[in-house]
Amino acid sequence: MRGGDDRTGELFSYVDLEARVRRNHPLRRIRAIVNEALSTLEREFAALYSPIGRPSIPPEKLLRAMLLQAFYSIRSERLLMERLEYDLLFRWFVGIGVDDAAWDHSVFSKNRDRLLEGDIAAKFLAAVLAQPRVKKLLSTDHFSVDGTLIEAWASMKSVKPKDGPSGGHGEPPADAGGRNAEADFHGERRSNETHASTTDPDARLYRKGRGKEAKLCFMGHGLMENRHGLLVDACLTLADGHAERVAALHMVEPRADRPQAITLGADKAYDAEDFVNELRSMKVTPHVAQNTSGRSSAIDGRTTRHSGYAVSQRIRKRIEEAFGWIKTVAGQGQTKFRGRGRVGWGFTFAAAAYNLVRLPKLLAVPT
């Protein structure tokens, strides 16, 4: 018998959101890890808010919603709020009821900005990794490091001379029929010493290699443990030729404070004598790829003769999987924020989201 195409809905629904999400849904494990991490950040959240005034959107719900934005590649807050309005799975994960109205996208963005001003992203990443069931997955002996370019939310047309008429602070837009004025950069030499972006002064002109075009970029850095490929630290710096090595030393130094030496795998960009010597002074064995293109490598047979060196060189490439997910799925290939602090917040938070995506399967495997 054919059913009728009835469009009249029920007046009341007695099915709880908890019952509408299947028991083996991967977001269930992720939500349990997230809730445990958020509970440890209670004091940090309290310090960001005034004890008086009208209640704002709870920071726990803000962060859960931002995680969904990264998981499902939602490109704007407006679309995120639209999805939250009709998607019961999203409502369950964030923690709002069926009859509760979704927030206005501008209200959500304004409340989110308070979190961007605090070091919540790094603390959230640390809180996830500090949970006992997660901590036992991490290696404390072997790590890998790498960096990646994050395109700035600024146009090349915004790059102006620092000593120009506008003083590097921008000019009124020309009357060009509702669009940006045309600009011809042919034959003009621009560098970070003489030019700066009026849209995002923290962004730097940087080219990935010879023959590549220069873009306004930041540089994101990640430190990965080699056992399961989870990111244990992430940070963002200005884009320059020394940033990768400086950031690597900053991230690995706290983990080198132990009697037993640890290893650090890296690509050819880290093959510099001062960097290698600094690692060895911290009791870190430099498993850095040798760069012998017209020069001598700082890595010699003392390091390459050991079998662990080849293992580190094979495993270190897995950090590219994390960067690929962060830049494509989480939408950090070109940031939507401006300023080094805010862009760094988004990059670190995306690193935490990457770990959360991987953890359900890792925790399901007996150790």
Side-chain angles (χ1 to χ4, degrees):
M1 175 180 174
R2 177 183 174 182
D5 186 18
D6 299 327
R7 295 181 180 272
T8 57
E10 297 291 340
L11 182 60
F12 301 103
S13 175
Y14 300 99
V15 180
D16 185 42
L17 279 178
E18 189 71 26
R20 291 185 179 272
V21 181
R22 71 174 192 266
R23 307 308 303 176
N24 61 342
H25 198 288
L27 281 182
R28 282 193 176 275
R29 282 182 173 268
I30 292 176
R31 192 174 190 269
I33 299 171
V34 170
N35 288 346
E36 187 173 339
L38 293 176
S39 66
T40 64
L41 300 178
E42 179 65 30
R43 290 187 177 181
E44 283 74 11
F45 292 146
L48 296 175
Y49 293 83
S50 171
I52 59 175
R54 188 171 58 181
S56 63
I57 301 176
E60 295 86 353
K61 294 182 179 180
L62 282 170
L63 290 174
R64 292 194 202 102
M66 293 176 68
L67 285 173
L68 290 175
Q69 188 174 10
F71 295 157
Y72 289 88
S73 304
I74 300 175
R75 65 179 184 270
S76 70
E77 285 73 28
R78 186 187 296 270
L79 291 177
L80 176 62
M81 294 303 102
E82 179 181 331
R83 184 74 176 269
L84 191 61
E85 182 67 43
Y86 65 78
D87 196 318
L88 296 182
L89 177 66
F90 274 42
R91 285 177 169 267
W92 168 82
F93 188 86
V94 173
I96 62 176
V98 175
D99 296 327
D100 296 334
W103 308 294
D104 183 85
H105 68 90
S106 60
V107 175
F108 180 86
S109 299
K110 188 173 182 179
N111 280 266
R112 179 206 60 194
D113 289 347
R114 182 182 282 108
L115 296 180
L116 297 180
E117 297 172 0
D119 196 18
I120 296 298
K123 292 177 180 177
F124 179 69
L125 172 62
V128 170
L129 298 175
Q131 298 179 28
R133 53 181 170 172
V134 177
K135 195 172 183 178
K136 66 181 181 181
L137 299 174
L138 307 178
S139 171
T140 58
D141 302 317
H142 307 289
F143 300 90
S144 296
V145 70
D146 204 356
T148 188
L149 292 179
I150 304 295
E151 288 191 42
W153 191 246
S155 168
M156 291 295 290
K157 292 182 180 181
S158 69
V159 179
K160 306 291 183 182
K162 293 181 179 179
D163 56 355
S166 61
H169 297 290
E171 299 176 353
D175 186 7
R179 62 190 299 269
N180 291 334
E182 298 293 337
D184 183 10
F185 306 127
H186 185 72
E188 179 184 352
R189 293 182 61 87
R190 295 183 293 176
S191 69
N192 292 319
E193 287 73 25
T194 59
H195 290 68
S197 169
T198 57
T199 304
D200 189 349
D202 289 341
R204 294 291 183 268
L205 290 168
Y206 194 86
R207 66 178 73 248
K208 194 171 183 179
R210 292 184 179 180
K212 300 289 185 179
E213 71 278 14
K215 295 182 179 180
L216 286 170
C217 296
F218 295 92
M219 188 169 286
H221 312 272
L223 182 68
M224 179 190 75
E225 55 84 31
N226 287 359
R227 182 180 297 167
H228 290 103
L230 296 173
L231 293 176
V232 295
D233 201 354
C235 65
L236 185 129
T237 64
L238 302 179
D240 64 58
H242 302 282
E244 285 187 310
R245 297 190 288 274
V246 173
L249 293 173
H250 172 74
M251 291 187 292
V252 79
E253 184 176 9
R255 292 161 177 83
D257 187 16
R258 47 177 295 178
Q260 185 179 354
I262 65 174
T263 66
L264 182 68
D267 60 25
K268 294 180 180 180
Y270 296 83
D271 186 6
E273 186 175 2
D274 55 346
F275 176 74
V276 171
N277 291 337
E278 188 70 25
L279 287 182
R280 286 175 173 154
S281 68
M282 294 191 299
K283 290 187 177 181
V284 179
T285 304
H287 285 179
V288 178
Q290 291 180 301
N291 185 3
T292 57
S293 301
R295 44 159 289 180
S296 59
S297 173
I299 303 298
D300 52 29
R302 291 179 299 171
T303 303
T304 59
R305 66 182 179 181
H306 297 286
S307 60
Y309 176 80
V311 174
S312 290
Q313 283 300 299
R314 184 177 70 252
I315 294 179
R316 70 166 177 82
K317 300 175 183 178
R318 294 184 62 186
I319 198 172
E320 296 294 345
E321 300 176 10
F323 287 157
W325 190 92
I326 289 172
K327 296 174 71 172
T328 56
V329 179
Q332 296 296 311
Q334 183 176 28
T335 180
K336 302 299 187 296
F337 297 128
R338 291 173 181 166
R340 176 182 171 183
R342 294 165 66 91
V343 176
W345 196 103
F347 180 79
T348 303
F349 189 75
Y354 170 77
N355 287 343
L356 288 169
V357 168
R358 302 240 9 254
L359 282 174
K361 286 188 176 180
L362 295 177
L363 293 173
V365 178
T367 57

